[in-house]
């Protein structure tokens, strides 16, 4: 079963200027993802989807393919990742699986890539995404009204005092999105009720969007 790794990297980053090619510990941000993908046993081809010539040049130098230029309508702040994934599938056919690897998750490593694919195979699932257990539980979150009164964010939940007794809660960490190509073409979403959650530790789950995220990484 062949697997296409797709790395989306548009040029118009606003939070951090030229984020995808900015140096993080001596190498461009996108290089961390390309290098991890190159070592993965499950990946057959690594493609970078970008609208930016500088990013394309760096990606090629690191060993990734850039066989097409991402259309402008898929390179805006509002453009969902599923659209560029479907565009890549249209451009590059013949693969059974696709894995979306966002370059903003540089601490995701090769074992995470290989293990989520094995995890999906072992459970005979068509889709899996990476998650991490949240440190702030939603049972302990609140909304604030116009008078600054606090109201539980999740109403009617059981009253739990001890942290150890709270049910586990997970959040998508943005590092890994995996799906069968035929399944993705049918449902046009990486996350559905039958999607599996592959757990990653918090220390590899950074998703860089701001300068604070960059410093944390």
């Amino acid at each position: 079963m062949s697997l296409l790794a797709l790395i989306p990297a548009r040029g118009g980053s606003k939070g951090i200027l030229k984020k995808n090619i900015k140096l993080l510990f001596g190498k461009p941000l996108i290089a961390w993802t390309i290098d991890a993908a190159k070592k993965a046993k499950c990946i057959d081809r690594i493609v970078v989807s970008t609208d930016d010539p500088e990013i394309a040049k760096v990606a090629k130098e690191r060993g990734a393919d850039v066989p097409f230029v991402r259309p402008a309508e898929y390179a805006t702040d509002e453009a969902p990742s599923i659209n560029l994934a479907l565009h890549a599938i249209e451009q590059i056919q013949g693969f059974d699986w696709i894995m979306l690897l966002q370059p903003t998750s540089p601490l995701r490593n090769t074992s995470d890539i290989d293990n989520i694919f094995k995890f999906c195979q072992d459970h005979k699932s068509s889709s899996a995404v990476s998650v991490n257990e949240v440190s702030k539980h939603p049972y302990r979150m609140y909304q604030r009204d116009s008078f600054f009164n606090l109201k539980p964010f999740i109403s009617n939940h059981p009253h739990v005092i001890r942290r150890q007794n709270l049910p586990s809660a997970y959040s998508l960490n943005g590092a890994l999105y995996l799906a069968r190509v035929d399944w993705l073409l049918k449902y046009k979403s990486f996350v559905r009720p039958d999607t599996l959650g592959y757990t990653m530790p918090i220390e590899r789950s950074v998703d860089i969007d701001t300068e604070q995220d960059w410093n944390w990484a």
Side-chain angles (χ1 to χ4, degrees):
M1 290 179 290
S2 54
L3 173 60
L4 172 68
L6 179 66
I7 302 174
R10 68 185 185 90
S13 174
K14 292 182 175 62
I16 302 174
L17 186 64
K18 295 187 176 183
K19 175 173 61 179
N20 286 311
I21 54 174
K22 181 178 178 179
L23 296 184
L24 177 68
F25 277 94
K27 64 182 180 180
L29 180 65
I30 193 172
W32 291 88
T33 293
I34 294 172
D35 290 351
K38 284 169 63 179
K39 297 174 185 175
K41 296 176 182 177
C42 66
I43 291 175
D44 296 287
R45 187 179 181 186
I46 304 167
V47 167
V48 171
S49 172
T50 185
D51 61 322
D52 187 284
E54 284 188 273
I55 294 175
K57 181 176 182 292
V58 171
K60 290 175 183 176
E61 289 172 349
R62 301 301 298 202
D65 294 334
V66 189
F68 55 82
V69 176
R70 192 197 302 188
E73 62 266 31
Y74 300 146
T76 65
D77 290 335
E78 296 76 24
S81 296
I82 186 61
N83 287 353
L84 62 93
L86 295 173
H87 173 260
I89 290 170
E90 183 181 283
Q91 298 295 312
I92 306 170
Q93 300 180 9
F95 286 89
D96 301 304
W97 292 80
I98 185 169
M99 184 183 294
L100 189 71
L101 300 171
Q102 299 189 122
T104 48
S105 299
L107 304 187
R108 164 241 300 111
N109 60 28
T110 299
S111 65
D112 293 318
I113 294 172
D114 280 329
N115 287 341
I116 193 174
F117 189 66
K118 183 178 185 301
F119 175 73
C120 212
Q121 300 298 306
D122 290 347
H123 290 83
K124 296 179 173 58
S125 178
S126 295
S127 173
V129 296
S130 56
V131 298
N132 63 269
E133 192 167 359
V134 298
S135 57
K136 300 294 183 183
H137 200 279
Y139 279 9
R140 293 184 171 175
M141 293 183 179
Y142 295 85
Q143 302 179 69
R144 196 171 65 169
D145 64 19
S146 57
F147 298 101
F148 309 107
N149 297 309
L150 296 177
K151 301 183 183 302
F153 193 81
I154 299 177
S155 58
N156 301 320
H157 64 73
H159 184 63
V160 179
I161 301 297
R162 297 178 72 246
R163 178 182 57 82
Q164 293 85 347
N165 295 338
L166 290 169
S168 296
Y170 298 88
S171 173
L172 298 179
N173 69 0
L176 299 158
Y177 295 86
L178 172 67
R180 285 191 61 92
V181 168
D182 56 357
W183 183 93
L184 195 67
L185 290 172
K186 179 179 180 179
Y187 295 113
K188 294 178 172 53
S189 176
F190 278 101
V191 182
R192 283 179 43 82
D194 56 339
T195 297
L196 303 181
Y198 169 78
T199 306
M200 284 177 56
I202 188 66
E203 63 268 18
R204 294 206 303 275
S205 294
V206 62
D207 184 9
I208 297 179
D209 187 46
T210 66
E211 288 287 353
Q212 290 91 334
D213 298 332
W214 186 278
N215 293 334
W216 191 87

